[in-house]
Amino acid sequence: MTLGILSLVLVVAVGAGVGLVLRGGGSGDDTAGDGTGDVAADSNTVVVKDDEITKLVQSHSKALASGDAKAFTSIFDQKNAALVRDQARVFANLRKMPLAEKSYEVLRRQGRAQDSFGRGVKFTQDVAFVHRFAGIDLRPVSEWYRWTIEKASPKAPLVVTKVEGAPPTISGEASKTMYYPGPWDIWPDIVVAKAGGSLVLARPKDAALARRVAPTVSAAAASDLAFWQKNGDPDAAVPSGFVVALVEGKTQLGKLFRTSKANEAGVSIPMPRWGIGNDTVKIGGTRVVMDTASEFFRDEQGIMEISEHELAHSLVAGLDSAQFALFGRANWITEGFAEYVAGRSQPIARNRRAAEGRAYVAGQLAMPFDGKLPTNALWDFKQMTSVNYLMGHVAMRFIAQKYGERKLVEGVVAAYRAPGDDSEAALFQVLGVTRADFERQWAGYVRAQFA
């Protein structure tokens, strides 16, 4: 099984989407234009103005902030008992979250928002749930909903008749939704287990497991943060805690904070900060999701390993430049760093992938070892994913032994801050070596480790 982080191509696209959305005006097929023009005096005209949408969303924010469940659910179709019940559950779940900030903001609108013949109108309105976990998120982040809204007559109120996840603003992304659903959207209830400065979220049936996992997550966070404090830039934007959610199975893993096919055992999902500005922090926070059915949850050592790995991803996510990358940041750097942080205290011979490494060097796998670093294009080729994780790890171990851990961290940070396609060049520049010379030296190191 593999561990991973969402493709930076997704992150970049989402970051761009935040900058492109229309917060007050309509878009798409909105026949009301920007919603601010003159409206015909005909009393039969049904029109939805921007200020109506704004008031609806603001009232929803106020209801959540004040703890008014009745007001929170009042905007939804009261004839749809299931919808009202679901949103009451969302409200109850969100009230359990230690959020320093929480509000709903207007995004894009699509559909017919005006009718001159007295007929009701029906359209979709994308809404961002902007929030920040206290002491964890570096900046506010957002989950995007798509509300279906209806207005039956000129003087009728707006009614939300359907709630789902909003799709990305750019087609072809890995996830079909924008950080939807959160556990508050789909879980019947949420158990919140404190893990030092971090949180472990779980379904009620996994309450005991969450409490058992919490000390390990806390220890993993402390270990990763200690590594950073020793070797990293003290002025860099890194979190002091993390949000970890537990799920069971790959289906659930792919349907929390995203909607996509999952093949990992765990994932750290980077979320762009909300809003537009000159802030150097592009990634406001991350959400770590771990599969309790994976091999890592067979014992405490495995839980520690997957926790240290995923939290290492989250640790440096805020350093990401979030610039467009055609091929994305080099996987051997991002995954290799996380693997190194998680396995740095043990000899490579005790690594769970060591046998694959020996088989790889011996030419027994689908692709023989040729002394080259893994490429993103062939990362998952012919079941080579696991050994590619190992090769990334060994590359980081080689750098740490030859140049020192501080230089390793400096190189990884440079790779994150560079545009994705330039990540390797940025790392090698810090090390003061060409790729060819690095691969030659590293290849000899790999063969020595797995002879």
Side-chain angles (χ1 to χ4, degrees):
M1 313 306 290
T2 62
L3 304 105
I5 190 167
L6 282 183
S7 164
L8 291 179
V9 175
L10 171 61
V11 176
V12 171
V14 171
V18 171
L20 293 173
V21 297
L22 302 175
R23 299 199 184 170
S27 62
D29 299 325
D30 184 356
T31 55
D34 65 3
T36 60
D38 293 334
V39 179
D42 188 345
S43 61
N44 287 328
T45 298
V46 180
V47 62
V48 178
K49 296 183 180 181
D50 287 348
D51 61 353
E52 286 184 88
I53 299 292
T54 300
K55 289 178 182 178
L56 180 76
V57 173
Q58 288 179 344
S59 70
H60 206 51
S61 298
K62 183 178 179 180
L64 178 61
S66 65
D68 189 338
K70 185 175 181 180
F72 186 88
T73 58
S74 66
I75 70 170
F76 301 104
D77 183 3
Q78 299 300 301
K79 297 178 182 178
N80 188 336
L83 176 63
V84 174
R85 183 173 59 250
D86 287 346
Q87 293 307 308
R89 185 195 66 235
V90 171
F91 174 86
N93 283 339
L94 283 175
R95 293 289 295 176
K96 293 184 176 182
M97 299 298 101
L99 299 175
E101 300 178 39
K102 50 191 175 186
S103 66
Y104 293 88
E105 304 291 342
V106 176
L107 295 172
R108 57 185 177 177
R109 184 194 314 166
Q110 291 182 314
R112 186 173 58 87
Q114 179 175 332
D115 186 89
S116 301
F117 301 97
R119 298 171 302 188
V121 295
K122 180 179 181 180
F123 57 95
T124 63
Q125 176 69 54
D126 289 354
V127 176
F129 172 48
V130 180
H131 58 286
R132 178 172 64 85
F133 275 87
I136 293 177
D137 291 331
L138 298 172
R139 302 289 189 273
V141 299
S142 61
E143 172 193 11
W144 291 14
Y145 292 98
R146 172 157 289 181
W147 289 353
T148 298
I149 299 179
E150 298 184 20
K151 184 172 184 176
S153 62
K155 295 184 179 181
L158 299 180
V159 177
V160 179
T161 59
K162 184 178 181 180
V163 177
E164 55 191 331
T169 55
I170 300 176
S171 62
E173 299 303 335
S175 177
K176 296 179 181 179
T177 53
M178 301 288 278
Y179 308 106
Y180 173 94
W184 40 81
D185 297 305
I186 56 175
W187 289 358
D189 195 359
I190 301 180
V191 172
V192 183
K194 288 284 292 181
S198 301
L199 298 173
V200 177
L201 309 181
R203 296 169 184 263
K205 70 183 185 67
D206 291 324
L209 177 61
R211 289 190 289 269
R212 180 168 69 86
V213 167
T216 304
V217 169
S218 178
S223 175
D224 286 8
L225 289 168
F227 174 79
W228 178 264
Q229 290 166 3
K230 180 180 178 182
N231 302 294
D233 180 354
D235 297 323
V238 296
S240 57
F242 309 91
V243 176
V244 177
L246 304 181
V247 298
E248 184 178 5
K250 296 295 178 285
T251 299
Q252 291 184 17
L253 185 65
K255 293 183 179 179
L256 196 63
F257 301 115
R258 58 177 177 168
T259 305
S260 62
K261 184 177 181 180
N263 296 308
E264 318 97 338
V267 63
S268 172
I269 302 174
M271 300 180 68
R273 73 169 196 273
W274 170 256
I276 308 168
N278 297 322
D279 193 343
T280 57
V281 176
K282 308 300 182 184
I283 303 301
T286 65
R287 301 293 178 257
V288 172
V289 189
M290 300 193 300
D291 178 10
T292 61
S294 74
E295 62 179 302
F296 293 96
F297 276 76
R298 294 174 183 172
D299 52 46
E300 296 304 316
Q301 181 180 343
I303 297 174
M304 183 68 173
E305 181 180 343
I306 190 175
S307 297
E308 284 188 296
H309 177 109
E310 298 304 342
L311 299 189
H313 279 310
S314 295
L315 181 68
V316 295
L319 307 177
D320 184 6
S321 65
Q323 298 184 52
F324 176 77
L326 183 61
F327 299 106
R329 186 159 289 106
N331 287 344
W332 72 265
I333 296 177
T334 57
E335 298 300 346
F337 177 72
E339 286 285 276
Y340 174 79
V341 172
R344 67 188 187 279
S345 62
Q346 293 186 352
I348 201 68
R350 293 180 57 186
N351 187 281
R352 67 176 64 240
R353 308 181 198 272
E356 291 175 275
R358 289 190 290 271
Y360 185 38
V361 170
Q364 297 171 357
L365 299 186
M367 295 176 62
F369 179 62
D370 60 2
K372 303 296 183 183
L373 289 163
T375 64
N376 286 13
L378 297 176
W379 188 260
D380 296 317
F381 183 70
K382 292 186 176 180
Q383 299 181 323
M384 291 291 291
T385 309
S386 183
V387 78
N388 284 335
Y389 271 76
L390 178 63
M391 291 300 104
H393 178 179
V394 176
M396 294 295 151
R397 190 169 286 240
F398 170 68
I399 293 171
Q401 291 184 13
K402 182 175 177 62
Y403 300 93
E405 286 188 331
R406 287 192 177 184
K407 187 62 71 173
L408 164 64
V409 172
E410 182 184 349
V412 170
V413 169
Y416 268 80
R417 287 177 169 164
D421 295 336
D422 298 331
S423 57
E424 288 185 332
L427 173 61
F428 293 138
Q429 183 175 4
V430 168
L431 299 181
V433 65
T434 66
R435 178 193 177 101
D437 285 343
F438 179 87
E439 285 186 322
R440 178 178 52 79
Q441 297 172 42
W442 168 74
Y445 179 79
V446 171
R447 293 187 175 96
Q449 295 297 310
F450 299 105

